[in-house]
């Protein structure tokens, strides 16, 4: 208590400020004493809290700071904000409702309208309600509408690519044909021709790759085909080309004898020879300058591949030596491994021909469904290996089941294809439409099959997920 009076004496000595503070304190005490009578219990509580905060502000402002404490000013500011927050967060007492207020109506009675005013009110209310009549709920598109919209808006290949890519590829094929005739005149290569989904109207998203087919003309009297399932490979998708009648027509009688391994025409040896020509013997800078592009072969690839860069397109061209014998189309694409003499049977030409033939017969939407599915598989990182032949063969299987392929049934057929794909992936087997002994899933790993099946299983209930 003595310390308190000593502190108060110091404030009184400093310019009379203490007397002012004492006068304010006396006023506050009187207010607090009579607040309960005037304001009630809750009002007195609010006033007491506010008074306490103001007293703290005055005491802090007039009290000397501790010079030894470097954070005295910071503490003072923090405490001041706390006191102000205390005042702001104090709840206001609810207004006491008077008994006479309960008897008053919530809305004042409206006066009667003059006929002219009533007419104006009708006009204004009608103008306010007009926009409500115009607004309509958002339309929910069906799967059929989404598929058609996706087909027309997102799968179209730019026209510049559609025209420029075949032109560039044809120019390169002419130059390559001239080189082979001058470099290897003894080898009876046929005329190079272009192939691929771009030329058949089945390409989607971008025209960035095309196939260049190089026919290898064989004498049917000197060569015969051996099914792959009759060899140690036991794979019906591959064939071997055997040299026959060596007793009567020894080595050298056929210009292709130089590419034999044992008694079989080796696809590996032929590819290696052509690869050396593409990399080391052809003047691609000169050909590229003639065609207005840059051409360079891919050295590290096992495939015969060229990369073409133009101002408007970038193109990948893959060269395939092809043998056509006994109604078979065989490509020089051996499987990975030690076997060098195998040729892969290609059904691409038969696939496209059959799909177009069926669509022409019933005005069907098979090609449209195929393009949508190819686009989905190409853009999806998990499904990219399903595009092309597997989807085409599946659509051909469904066509034999008597399904309706009219355009208005596109959504039903699209969903049916997804369901069938999931069923085949569960078995791990998708038989070829042209040779049931061939499993089109034989090149897929078990993990890849599981991932594809999971993605398509989810899409069965929501096919729209694949279109995003």
């Amino acid at each position: 208590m003595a310390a308190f009076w000593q502190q108060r004496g110091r404030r009184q000595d400093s310019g009379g400020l203490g007397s002012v503070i004492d006068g304010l304190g006396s006023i506050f005490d009187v207010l607090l004493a009579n607040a309960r009578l005037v304001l009630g219990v809750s009002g007195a509580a609010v006033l007491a809290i506010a008074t306490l905060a103001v007293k703290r502000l005055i005491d802090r402002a007039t009290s000397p700071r501790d010079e030894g404490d470097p954070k005295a000013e910071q503490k003072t500011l923090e405490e001041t904000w706390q006191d102000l927050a205390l005042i702001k967060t104090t709840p206001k007492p609810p207004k006491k409702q008077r008994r006479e207020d309960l008897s008053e109506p919530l809305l004042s009675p409206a006066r009667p309208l003059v006929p002219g005013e009533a007419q104006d009110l009708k006009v204004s209310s009608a103008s306010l309600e007009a926009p409500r009549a115009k607004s309509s709920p958002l339309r929910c598109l069906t799967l059929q509408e989404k598929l058609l919209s996706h087909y027309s808006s997102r799968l179209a290949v730019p026209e510049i690519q559609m025209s420029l890519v075949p032109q560039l590829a044809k120019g390169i094929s002419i130059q390559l044909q001239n080189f082979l005739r001058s470099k290897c005149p003894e080898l009876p290569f046929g005329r190079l021709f272009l192939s691929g989904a771009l030329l058949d109207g089945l390409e989607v998203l971008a025209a960035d790759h095309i196939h260049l087919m190089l026919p290898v003309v064989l004498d049917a009297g000197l060569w015969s085909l051996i099914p792959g399932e009759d060899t140690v490979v036991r794979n019906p998708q591959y064939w071997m080309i055997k040299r026959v009648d060596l007793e009567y027509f020894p080595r050298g009688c056929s210009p292709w004898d130089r590419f034999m391994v044992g008694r079989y025409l080796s696809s590996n040896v032929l590819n290696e020879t052509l690869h050396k020509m593409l990399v080391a013997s052809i003047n691609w800078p000169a050909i590229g300058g003639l065609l207005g592009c840059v051409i360079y072969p891919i050295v590290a690839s096992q495939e015969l591949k060229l990369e073409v860069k133009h101002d408007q397109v970038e193109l990948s061209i893959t060269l395939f030596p092809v043998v056509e014998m006994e109604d078979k189309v065989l490509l020089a694409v051996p499987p990975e491994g030690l076997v060098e003499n195998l040729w892969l049977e290609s059904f691409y030409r038969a696939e496209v021909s059959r799909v177009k033939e069926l669509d022409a017969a019933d005005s069907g939407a098979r090609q449209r469904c195929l393009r949508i599915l190819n686009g989905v598989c190409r853009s999806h990182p998990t499904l990219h290996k399903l595009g092309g032949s597997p989807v085409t063969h599946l659509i051909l299987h469904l066509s034999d089941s008597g399904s309706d392929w009219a355009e208005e049934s596109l959504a039903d057929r699209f969903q049916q294809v997804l369901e069938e794909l999931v069923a085949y992936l569960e078995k791990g087997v998708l038989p070829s439409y042209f040779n049931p002994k061939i499993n089109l899933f034989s090149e897929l790993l078990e993990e890849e099959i599981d991932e594809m099946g999971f993605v398509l299983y989810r899409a069965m209930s929501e096919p729209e997920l694949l279109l995003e």
Side-chain angles (χ1 to χ4, degrees):
M1 184 63 68
F4 172 78
W5 287 110
Q6 290 177 2
Q7 182 71 16
R8 185 176 180 182
R10 295 193 194 99
R11 293 177 183 173
Q12 290 176 351
D13 295 338
S14 58
L17 182 60
S19 60
V20 176
I21 295 174
D22 291 339
L24 290 176
S26 302
I27 294 173
F28 290 151
D29 293 338
V30 173
L31 288 176
L32 291 176
N34 297 295
R36 185 171 182 180
L37 297 176
V38 177
L39 301 177
V41 177
S42 57
V46 174
L47 183 59
I49 295 175
T51 303
L52 178 60
V54 174
K55 278 187 173 183
R56 290 181 181 176
L57 290 174
I58 295 173
D59 292 340
R60 191 172 297 114
T62 56
S63 59
R65 299 175 183 174
D66 188 0
E67 298 180 356
D69 188 0
K71 297 183 179 180
E73 182 177 358
Q74 182 178 0
K75 290 180 180 180
T76 303
L77 292 175
E78 291 177 356
E79 293 174 358
T80 303
W81 285 112
Q82 292 176 2
D83 293 335
L84 292 177
L86 179 63
I87 298 175
K88 290 182 179 181
T89 56
T90 304
K92 297 181 180 180
K95 181 180 179 181
K96 185 176 181 181
Q97 195 170 20
R98 296 178 298 173
R99 184 174 299 177
E100 53 270 19
D101 294 339
L102 298 176
S103 61
E104 294 180 359
L106 296 178
L107 296 176
S108 59
R111 62 181 179 85
L113 295 175
V114 180
E117 294 180 352
Q119 184 67 21
D120 295 339
L121 181 60
K122 291 180 181 179
V123 173
S124 61
S125 62
S127 62
L128 291 175
E129 293 179 357
R132 297 183 181 178
K134 292 182 180 179
S135 62
S136 58
L138 295 177
R139 185 184 175 202
C140 183
L141 297 179
T142 63
L143 177 59
Q144 177 82 7
E145 293 170 334
K146 291 180 180 179
L147 288 173
L148 294 176
S149 175
H150 182 81
Y151 178 83
S152 60
S153 62
R154 299 185 59 182
L155 298 183
V157 179
E159 293 184 3
I160 184 63
Q161 295 183 10
M162 291 288 295
S163 60
L164 184 57
V165 166
Q167 180 181 349
L168 287 174
K170 187 175 181 180
I172 292 173
S173 68
I174 293 175
Q175 298 297 323
L176 182 58
Q177 186 88 63
N178 295 335
F179 171 81
L180 291 175
R181 286 177 179 176
S182 61
K183 182 73 174 178
C184 311
E186 74 282 1
L187 296 178
F189 286 111
R191 180 176 292 275
L192 284 160
F193 63 93
L194 305 180
S195 179
L198 175 64
L199 303 177
D200 297 315
L202 300 178
E203 185 58 87
V204 292
L205 302 179
D208 55 1
H209 66 281
I210 199 168
H211 297 160
L212 189 58
M213 316 304 289
L214 176 61
V216 176
V217 182
L218 299 178
D219 186 351
L222 300 179
W223 303 91
S224 65
L225 300 183
I226 306 297
E229 55 188 333
D230 295 340
T231 65
V232 293
V233 180
R234 303 297 180 185
N235 190 336
Q237 196 169 1
Y238 291 91
W239 292 75
M240 301 182 75
I241 303 176
K242 185 178 180 180
R243 178 71 157 81
V244 297
D245 295 334
L246 284 174
E247 298 82 4
Y248 303 99
F249 304 98
R251 285 177 177 264
C253 292
S254 173
W256 302 106
D257 288 344
R258 56 187 283 194
F259 300 103
M260 284 198 307
V261 173
R263 297 184 62 178
Y264 300 93
L265 182 62
S266 173
S267 56
N268 271 12
V269 175
L270 180 58
N271 280 338
E272 290 174 359
T273 302
L274 291 173
H275 189 273
K276 292 178 182 178
M277 292 182 183
L278 292 179
V279 172
S281 301
I282 302 179
N283 189 356
W284 291 116
I287 296 176
L290 181 64
L291 299 176
C293 60
V294 178
I295 308 171
Y296 56 93
I298 305 300
V299 179
S301 175
Q302 295 182 353
E303 296 179 318
L304 306 175
K305 184 173 291 188
L306 302 173
E307 293 293 335
V308 181
K309 289 189 177 182
H310 190 270
D311 292 339
Q312 297 174 311
V313 296
E314 291 189 5
L315 174 65
S316 174
I317 299 178
T318 305
L319 178 66
F320 290 103
V322 55
V323 172
E324 296 188 33
M325 286 184 63
E326 302 177 9
D327 298 330
K328 301 289 189 300
V329 179
L330 306 178
L331 304 180
V333 184
E336 296 182 0
L338 300 177
V339 182
E340 298 182 348
N341 304 327
L342 295 179
W343 294 69
L344 175 67
E345 183 174 7
S346 172
F347 299 103
Y348 177 76
R349 187 185 303 172
E351 294 168 6
V352 175
S353 176
R354 181 59 177 164
V355 169
K356 291 186 176 182
E357 178 185 351
L358 292 173
D359 272 353
D362 59 5
S363 301
R366 295 173 185 83
Q367 296 177 72
R368 182 169 294 184
C369 184
L370 180 59
R371 289 193 65 187
I372 295 175
L373 289 168
N374 282 341
V376 168
C377 293
R378 182 172 180 177
S379 59
H380 200 287
T382 304
L383 304 177
H384 67 278
K385 289 188 177 181
L386 279 182
S389 288
V391 175
T392 306
H393 285 244
L394 180 55
I395 289 178
L396 292 176
H397 283 305
L398 291 178
S399 298
D400 288 345
S401 64
S403 301
D404 181 15
W405 282 94
E407 183 175 338
E408 54 269 18
S409 301
L410 177 62
D412 295 335
R413 299 290 77 79
F414 181 82
Q415 197 152 10
Q416 186 179 9
V417 171
L418 297 182
E419 295 172 357
E420 292 294 325
L421 274 175
V422 172
Y424 283 120
L425 287 170
E426 288 179 351
K427 299 176 183 178
V429 176
L430 174 59
S432 169
Y433 178 79
F434 301 99
N435 186 355
K437 296 179 181 179
I438 297 176
N439 176 19
L440 299 179
F441 290 163
S442 60
E443 302 296 330
L444 298 178
L445 301 176
E446 185 176 354
E447 295 79 7
E448 294 175 335
I449 292 178
D450 292 339
E451 292 176 359
M452 293 177 185
F454 176 73
V455 171
L456 294 175
Y457 181 78
R458 290 182 57 195
M460 286 172 55
S461 59
E462 295 183 76
E464 298 84 355
L465 295 176
L466 297 178
L467 306 179
E468 297 177 354

